[in-house]
Amino acid sequence: MIVMSSTPTAPHAAILGIGSYRASIEVPNAEIVDAIDSSDEWIQQRSGIRARRFASPEETIQVMSVGAARKALEHAGVEAVDIDCVIVATVSHLMQTPAIATAIAHELGTDKAPAFDISAACAGFCHGIALASDLVRGGTAGKVLVIGVERLSDITDLTDRGTAFIFADGAGAAVVGASDRPGISPVVWGSDGEQFDLIRQREDWRDVVGSDEHPGSGVMPHLTMQGNPVFRWASFTMAKVANEALAKAGITADDLDVFVPHQANMRIIDAMARSMKLPEHVRIARDIAEQGNTSAASIPLALDAMIASGEARSGDLALLIAFGAGLAYAAQVVVVP
Ligand code: COA
């Protein structure tokens, strides 16, 4: 029997570098409350958000991604030409095809690296890290660039009371490569399509365009969300997923240094931490207060901020958990680069 040759594999994978791009326009609650008959106090109490950041017209998905990726490459000490695969997690690249990842890979100068987008909403970055880890360990790629990026301001209805104060823009990136010790634990991930409708685009493109019998709305199909069930699901079900991720990594909450949950809502972050009984010494990401919910970008933005402030140090163990539309979720423990 002829035996095909196989790719040499790597024993372990790790995040080698992180970078982020914060959108330039700070939008405090005061600037959005009139359109939704709300108040700064209500928004802070219910979500913990004091301000969010929106991209300027020039800060496209590509511009923010390249900005975050260049910083991640520099942090990792890796040249763009050495990247073997580019994965971009986003739900707000407004062109159905091609994937924005190919344009980003080209601008970075990755020398024709395979590049594709993934759509797992707020869980996208952790999905990307899981894929990158397996690509590296399986020998398919030496180094993978994972980007989480959103311009949710393009698809948020600023007159919708349930979503206008939550969503925001930004990008974060990580370089994943081989390591001599485990740097990314096995992922715990899943989906609950029974709750497909809880967070979604209001209508599909055919409804926007319409037909002779049914005239289209002609307006951008914004995000809609049923806040209450999302809140309950995220606060309780996700704490269990987080504990499973710790177990799969072979550690307990006592071993953790940093907790970086998806920056959806401060009350969800607090409820998860309580439910997991996180010890006092675990430092918790609270980037949402000044950044808003940036979906796929929220975890790398938050982790990068903690590294910059010294709250997360190289070698720390960090639990990442991301969840959102789908509903989709993913969690893993990583060693901070
Ligand atoms: N400003 C002021 N008041 C508002 C409001 C707003 N933007 N939105 C709703 N309200 C009012 C309602 O009118 C209602 O008033 P009433 O009690 O007098 O009838 C009251 O607040 C409660 O409304 P409800 O829709 O039940 O709000 P809530 O307590 O569920 O809070 C969210 C709304 C969105 C803050 C909350 O559901 C939430 O945080 N959900 C999770 C969202 C999230 O994190 N999504 C991202 C997941 S990736």
Side-chain angles (χ1 to χ4, degrees), residues 62-77:
Q62 184 170 335
V63 164
M64 293 194 289
S65 297
V66 167
R70 287 206 170 119
K71 288 188 189 151
L73 288 165
E74 195 185 329
H75 188 207

PDB file of all heavy atoms in Angstrom, residues 62-77:
ATOM      1  N   GLN A  62     -11.490  47.207   7.019  1.00  0.00           N
ATOM      2  CA  GLN A  62     -10.121  46.881   6.597  1.00  0.00           C
ATOM      3  C   GLN A  62      -9.093  47.745   7.326  1.00  0.00           C
ATOM      4  O   GLN A  62      -8.076  47.229   7.802  1.00  0.00           O
ATOM      5  CB  GLN A  62     -10.005  47.065   5.073  1.00  0.00           C
ATOM      6  CG  GLN A  62      -8.639  46.645   4.539  1.00  0.00           C
ATOM      7  CD  GLN A  62      -8.608  46.590   3.011  1.00  0.00           C
ATOM      8  OE1 GLN A  62      -9.646  46.409   2.366  1.00  0.00           O
ATOM      9  NE2 GLN A  62      -7.439  46.747   2.436  1.00  0.00           N
ATOM     10  N   VAL A  63      -9.367  49.046   7.413  1.00  0.00           N
ATOM     11  CA  VAL A  63      -8.410  49.955   8.072  1.00  0.00           C
ATOM     12  C   VAL A  63      -8.213  49.550   9.537  1.00  0.00           C
ATOM     13  O   VAL A  63      -7.084  49.448  10.034  1.00  0.00           O
ATOM     14  CB  VAL A  63      -8.920  51.422   7.975  1.00  0.00           C
ATOM     15  CG1 VAL A  63      -8.200  52.329   8.965  1.00  0.00           C
ATOM     16  CG2 VAL A  63      -8.755  51.938   6.547  1.00  0.00           C
ATOM     17  N   MET A  64      -9.305  49.278  10.243  1.00  0.00           N
ATOM     18  CA  MET A  64      -9.186  48.933  11.669  1.00  0.00           C
ATOM     19  C   MET A  64      -8.484  47.580  11.833  1.00  0.00           C
ATOM     20  O   MET A  64      -7.670  47.394  12.740  1.00  0.00           O
ATOM     21  CB  MET A  64     -10.572  48.919  12.333  1.00  0.00           C
ATOM     22  CG  MET A  64     -11.207  50.298  12.392  1.00  0.00           C
ATOM     23  SD  MET A  64     -12.637  50.378  13.496  1.00  0.00           S
ATOM     24  CE  MET A  64     -13.861  49.450  12.596  1.00  0.00           C
ATOM     25  N   SER A  65      -8.802  46.645  10.937  1.00  0.00           N
ATOM     26  CA  SER A  65      -8.189  45.309  11.020  1.00  0.00           C
ATOM     27  C   SER A  65      -6.684  45.371  10.800  1.00  0.00           C
ATOM     28  O   SER A  65      -5.906  44.748  11.539  1.00  0.00           O
ATOM     29  CB  SER A  65      -8.784  44.376   9.963  1.00  0.00           C
ATOM     30  OG  SER A  65     -10.145  44.197  10.187  1.00  0.00           O
ATOM     31  N   VAL A  66      -6.289  46.112   9.775  1.00  0.00           N
ATOM     32  CA  VAL A  66      -4.856  46.218   9.468  1.00  0.00           C
ATOM     33  C   VAL A  66      -4.135  46.897  10.636  1.00  0.00           C
ATOM     34  O   VAL A  66      -3.047  46.485  11.047  1.00  0.00           O
ATOM     35  CB  VAL A  66      -4.643  46.973   8.124  1.00  0.00           C
ATOM     36  CG1 VAL A  66      -3.181  47.367   7.937  1.00  0.00           C
ATOM     37  CG2 VAL A  66      -5.119  46.106   6.963  1.00  0.00           C
ATOM     38  N   GLY A  67      -4.781  47.924  11.221  1.00  0.00           N
ATOM     39  CA  GLY A  67      -4.176  48.615  12.370  1.00  0.00           C
ATOM     40  C   GLY A  67      -3.948  47.656  13.535  1.00  0.00           C
ATOM     41  O   GLY A  67      -2.857  47.625  14.131  1.00  0.00           O
ATOM     42  N   ALA A  68      -4.971  46.864  13.864  1.00  0.00           N
ATOM     43  CA  ALA A  68      -4.849  45.913  14.983  1.00  0.00           C
ATOM     44  C   ALA A  68      -3.835  44.822  14.647  1.00  0.00           C
ATOM     45  O   ALA A  68      -3.008  44.432  15.483  1.00  0.00           O
ATOM     46  CB  ALA A  68      -6.215  45.294  15.276  1.00  0.00           C
ATOM     47  N   ALA A  69      -3.885  44.330  13.409  1.00  0.00           N
ATOM     48  CA  ALA A  69      -3.004  43.220  13.002  1.00  0.00           C
ATOM     49  C   ALA A  69      -1.540  43.634  13.044  1.00  0.00           C
ATOM     50  O   ALA A  69      -0.679  42.871  13.492  1.00  0.00           O
ATOM     51  CB  ALA A  69      -3.385  42.755  11.598  1.00  0.00           C
ATOM     52  N   ARG A  70      -1.246  44.851  12.593  1.00  0.00           N
ATOM     53  CA  ARG A  70       0.176  45.295  12.593  1.00  0.00           C
ATOM     54  C   ARG A  70       0.715  45.324  14.021  1.00  0.00           C
ATOM     55  O   ARG A  70       1.853  44.952  14.279  1.00  0.00           O
ATOM     56  CB  ARG A  70       0.292  46.681  11.944  1.00  0.00           C
ATOM     57  CG  ARG A  70       0.095  46.598  10.433  1.00  0.00           C
ATOM     58  CD  ARG A  70       0.790  47.738   9.680  1.00  0.00           C
ATOM     59  NE  ARG A  70       0.763  47.452   8.243  1.00  0.00           N
ATOM     60  CZ  ARG A  70       0.167  48.213   7.333  1.00  0.00           C
ATOM     61  NH1 ARG A  70      -0.450  49.324   7.699  1.00  0.00           N
ATOM     62  NH2 ARG A  70       0.186  47.871   6.059  1.00  0.00           N
ATOM     63  N   LYS A  71      -0.142  45.746  14.966  1.00  0.00           N
ATOM     64  CA  LYS A  71       0.318  45.782  16.373  1.00  0.00           C
ATOM     65  C   LYS A  71       0.513  44.357  16.904  1.00  0.00           C
ATOM     66  O   LYS A  71       1.454  44.090  17.645  1.00  0.00           O
ATOM     67  CB  LYS A  71      -0.693  46.542  17.231  1.00  0.00           C
ATOM     68  CG  LYS A  71      -0.672  48.026  16.959  1.00  0.00           C
ATOM     69  CD  LYS A  71      -1.540  48.752  17.949  1.00  0.00           C
ATOM     70  CE  LYS A  71      -1.702  50.204  17.554  1.00  0.00           C
ATOM     71  NZ  LYS A  71      -2.982  50.763  18.003  1.00  0.00           N
ATOM     72  N   ALA A  72      -0.393  43.452  16.534  1.00  0.00           N
ATOM     73  CA  ALA A  72      -0.260  42.058  16.998  1.00  0.00           C
ATOM     74  C   ALA A  72       1.015  41.428  16.430  1.00  0.00           C
ATOM     75  O   ALA A  72       1.730  40.708  17.126  1.00  0.00           O
ATOM     76  CB  ALA A  72      -1.491  41.259  16.591  1.00  0.00           C
ATOM     77  N   LEU A  73       1.298  41.711  15.153  1.00  0.00           N
ATOM     78  CA  LEU A  73       2.514  41.170  14.523  1.00  0.00           C
ATOM     79  C   LEU A  73       3.758  41.699  15.228  1.00  0.00           C
ATOM     80  O   LEU A  73       4.700  40.954  15.522  1.00  0.00           O
ATOM     81  CB  LEU A  73       2.551  41.553  13.036  1.00  0.00           C
ATOM     82  CG  LEU A  73       1.541  40.824  12.138  1.00  0.00           C
ATOM     83  CD1 LEU A  73       1.416  41.522  10.785  1.00  0.00           C
ATOM     84  CD2 LEU A  73       1.945  39.364  11.936  1.00  0.00           C
ATOM     85  N   GLU A  74       3.730  43.002  15.537  1.00  0.00           N
ATOM     86  CA  GLU A  74       4.880  43.618  16.214  1.00  0.00           C
ATOM     87  C   GLU A  74       5.057  43.001  17.612  1.00  0.00           C
ATOM     88  O   GLU A  74       6.164  42.643  18.007  1.00  0.00           O
ATOM     89  CB  GLU A  74       4.637  45.125  16.326  1.00  0.00           C
ATOM     90  CG  GLU A  74       5.889  45.880  16.674  1.00  0.00           C
ATOM     91  CD  GLU A  74       5.596  47.358  16.892  1.00  0.00           C
ATOM     92  OE1 GLU A  74       4.665  47.898  16.256  1.00  0.00           O
ATOM     93  OE2 GLU A  74       6.292  47.949  17.742  1.00  0.00           O
ATOM     94  N   HIS A  75       3.946  42.851  18.332  1.00  0.00           N
ATOM     95  CA  HIS A  75       3.997  42.260  19.678  1.00  0.00           C
ATOM     96  C   HIS A  75       4.555  40.834  19.612  1.00  0.00           C
ATOM     97  O   HIS A  75       5.319  40.406  20.483  1.00  0.00           O
ATOM     98  CB  HIS A  75       2.583  42.273  20.282  1.00  0.00           C
ATOM     99  CG  HIS A  75       2.526  41.868  21.714  1.00  0.00           C
ATOM    100  ND1 HIS A  75       1.411  41.298  22.282  1.00  0.00           N
ATOM    101  CD2 HIS A  75       3.442  41.926  22.714  1.00  0.00           C
ATOM    102  CE1 HIS A  75       1.651  41.036  23.558  1.00  0.00           C
ATOM    103  NE2 HIS A  75       2.865  41.416  23.858  1.00  0.00           N
ATOM    104  N   ALA A  76       4.187  40.114  18.555  1.00  0.00           N
ATOM    105  CA  ALA A  76       4.629  38.719  18.409  1.00  0.00           C
ATOM    106  C   ALA A  76       6.051  38.624  17.853  1.00  0.00           C
ATOM    107  O   ALA A  76       6.663  37.550  17.903  1.00  0.00           O
ATOM    108  CB  ALA A  76       3.658  37.978  17.488  1.00  0.00           C
ATOM    109  N   GLY A  77       6.545  39.731  17.274  1.00  0.00           N
ATOM    110  CA  GLY A  77       7.853  39.684  16.614  1.00  0.00           C
ATOM    111  C   GLY A  77       7.806  38.834  15.351  1.00  0.00           C
ATOM    112  O   GLY A  77       8.752  38.122  15.023  1.00  0.00           O
TER     113      GLY A  77
END
